[in-house]
Amino acid sequence: MNIVTEWDLVCGQYWLVPVEEVSFILGVLTGCLGLGFAADRLGRLKTLLTSLTLSVVFGVLVCVSTSPPIFIVMRFCLAAASAGVYLTLYITRLELCDPSLRLLVTMVAGLTTVSGELLLLGVALSCQSWRGLLGAGAAPLSLFLTYGIPGVFPESPRWLLLSERSADLNSFSERRDRERDDESFTELDSEPSPSTYPHLSFPELVHSRNIWKNMCVLGFTSFISHGISHCYSSFRGDVRGTAPSFYWTYLLSVCAGGGAWLLLWATVNRCGRRGILLLTMTMTGLASLILLGLVEYLSETAITVFSVMGLFSSQAAASLCVLFTAEIMPTIIRGSGVGTVLALGCVGRLTSPLMDLRNHYGYFLHHVVYSTLALLAVLSILLLPESKRKPLPQTLADGEQYRRPPLGRRRRDNVPLLATPNPET
């Protein structure tokens, strides 16, 4: 039994199903933005524990929902809290790794997520009720509340370093002001300021043009890669009218995500982040153009092959966008930067339930627009820097130094300026 059969969400009430999907995606968007900012200001560990606690609470409330409106509201809150858990774990994991191990650790975490999604499919097939399925997904989160025990889960050392530096600067400025007002300065006045949160200069952030440029390019690429993946998974149903089953589509999408992580692991450290992101977005655009332009001449097998290729490449681009953002954003705004890119990806994912709400009316134009934007994203990726095996930036000044490498090397003249020619030669 699912929510459609239990609450009879058919005919005039069917619109509540896509609305629930929209509410869930908006919850993820809200959590990425709000809890990403909280991770930068309050710390990774505090934000993670808060998100875990809220996930357990709202997970229980979702299971005991008695009507569709309550269910939709609770799913929104659960999505926001779950997004905070994912975001804080992602950036903390990256900040605890050496530059040479960042890709490997991220790949292992991605494959672990894929394994969990496959396990969820098995649990969904075995459960007889949607309440049991959601309860089985929320119950294990309560075990991770042990992260709050001192010494079990560490705070990010990079965030702590910024906090101590901000405290020292605040203490020094206060001490200098007191010395100006009072000549009798004592050692007791040199105690550090109780505020241990990183200090963010908003005027400096506004004028950090390179950081904004990188964030806009990666956010735009994330928006395209998340939005266009729905076009590949539903292309056969939109064109031929023979849509596969829900479980087959879900399994195909999860397996494509696992294959995308394996591709990134095998190529990104060798060819660089920017080169592989350029390749995956080019494959995404080519798959769309072939499907849209040659659909009348393609067989069922060819349509399946190009749909899988587009789904595979778009998921690889989406995963690489998040890793790329986490590596080039400075620690002081890393949570907000990664959260913004993930939020723009959620905006792209909104097209899937909105198309379902309109019964896939206008799917062709929808796919054409995303294909055109994918080709534009290919050009914008050329503006990105390379972060392969480079240390994570700490401050806004460090982040501004991540610039696009020159397309061509300048020729250097090694002949000394005052060298006298040898007449014998």
Side-chain angles (χ1 to χ4, degrees):
M1 180 180 292
N2 51 38
I3 61 173
V4 177
T5 56
E6 180 173 341
W7 289 322
D8 197 22
L9 301 181
V10 294
C11 299
Q13 298 293 321
Y14 178 75
W15 61 273
L16 287 173
V17 177
V19 166
E20 185 275 330
E21 297 180 17
V22 172
S23 174
F24 184 84
I25 296 176
L26 290 177
V28 175
L29 187 152
T30 304
C32 289
L33 293 177
L35 295 175
F37 178 78
D40 291 333
R41 295 296 299 158
L42 305 178
R44 313 325 191 195
L45 183 58
K46 290 182 180 179
T47 307
L48 175 62
L49 294 177
T50 302
S51 302
L52 282 171
T53 304
L54 294 177
S55 297
V56 173
V57 172
F58 289 117
V60 173
L61 293 178
V62 166
C63 296
V64 299
S65 300
T66 56
S67 63
I70 297 178
F71 178 81
I72 291 174
V73 173
M74 293 298 104
R75 284 278 287 175
F76 174 88
C77 299
L78 176 62
S82 301
V85 174
Y86 175 82
L87 176 61
T88 50
L89 282 177
Y90 195 101
I91 59 179
T92 303
R93 182 172 61 241
L94 221 66
E95 291 173 348
L96 291 173
C97 292
D98 290 332
S100 59
L101 298 177
R102 288 200 299 254
L103 178 63
L104 177 62
V105 172
T106 305
M107 184 271 298
V108 171
L111 291 180
T112 304
T113 303
V114 171
S115 302
E117 292 174 343
L118 291 175
L119 180 62
L120 180 62
L121 179 60
V123 174
L125 292 174
S126 60
C127 283
Q128 301 297 324
S129 172
W130 63 270
R131 300 180 189 273
L133 176 61
L134 293 177
L141 292 176
S142 59
L143 300 176
F144 298 108
L145 293 177
T146 56
Y147 286 167
I149 301 176
V152 175
F153 192 86
E155 177 60 271
S156 169
R158 290 183 171 273
W159 187 86
L160 289 175
L161 182 62
L162 279 179
S163 301
E164 294 176 0
R165 183 181 301 176
S166 299
D168 292 341
L169 290 176
N170 291 335
S171 176
F172 176 75
S173 60
E174 292 179 0
R175 182 175 57 190
R176 183 181 57 185
D177 293 339
R178 283 195 296 265
E179 283 180 342
R180 290 176 180 177
D181 297 336
D182 189 7
E183 294 289 338
S184 58
F185 176 73
T186 63
E187 291 294 333
L188 295 177
D189 294 329
S190 61
E191 296 180 356
S193 172
S195 176
T196 58
Y197 299 131
H199 174 70
L200 177 62
S201 175
F202 287 99
E204 184 181 357
L205 177 61
V206 171
H207 291 89
S208 300
R209 299 180 180 178
N210 191 51
I211 293 177
W212 282 108
K213 181 259 295 180
N214 294 334
M215 189 184 300
C216 289
V217 172
L218 288 169
F220 179 66
T221 307
S222 177
F223 166 76
I224 300 301
S225 56
H226 280 90
I228 203 171
S229 61
H230 168 71
C231 301
Y232 300 118
S233 59
S234 63
F235 187 81
R236 174 179 290 184
D238 293 333
V239 176
R240 305 294 192 190
T242 56
S245 64
F246 168 78
Y247 294 108
W248 169 251
T249 303
Y250 179 85
L251 181 62
L252 180 63
S253 177
V254 172
C255 291
W261 277 116
L262 293 177
L263 171 69
L264 296 180
W265 171 67
T267 58
V268 166
N269 266 349
R270 298 179 181 179
C271 305
R273 275 63 165 160
R274 189 178 63 159
I276 299 303
L277 184 59
L278 186 65
L279 174 64
T280 53
M281 285 306 298
T282 303
M283 291 174 58
T284 301
L286 288 178
S288 294
L289 293 178
I290 292 173
L291 288 173
L292 291 173
L294 303 177
V295 62
E296 297 180 356
Y297 309 99
L298 296 177
S299 62
E300 292 288 335
T301 304
I303 290 178
T304 302
V305 169
F306 284 109
S307 296
V308 171
M309 186 183 83
L311 183 63
F312 170 79
S313 58
S314 62
Q315 292 203 12
S319 301
L320 187 53
C321 276
V322 183
L323 174 62
F324 211 160
T325 305
E327 288 185 332
I328 65 177
M329 287 294 112
T331 302
I332 195 170
I333 59 167
R334 182 166 294 121
S336 300
V338 175
T340 301
V341 171
L342 288 173
L344 289 173
C346 291
V347 175
R349 289 170 52 192
L350 280 174
T351 57
S352 175
L354 292 178
M355 290 294 292
D356 294 337
L357 190 60
R358 294 168 54 87
N359 198 19
H360 287 246
Y361 178 77
Y363 74 91
F364 188 83
L365 180 61
H366 166 78
H367 200 164
V368 168
V369 171
Y370 269 110
S371 303
T372 306
L373 294 178
L375 297 179
L376 182 60
V378 170
L379 299 177
S380 65
I381 290 172
L382 296 174
L383 302 175
L384 292 174
E386 181 54 65
S387 61
K388 181 178 66 174
R389 296 190 182 94
K390 292 183 179 179
L392 297 177
Q394 279 286 95
T395 62
L396 294 178
D398 297 336
E400 278 293 289
Q401 295 178 1
Y402 272 72
R403 299 182 180 274
R404 177 186 63 83
L407 297 179
R409 295 181 178 179
R410 294 182 178 180
R411 181 181 177 183
R412 293 184 177 181
D413 190 2
N414 294 322
V415 180
L417 182 61
L418 299 178
T420 57
N422 189 356
E424 295 181 359
T425 58

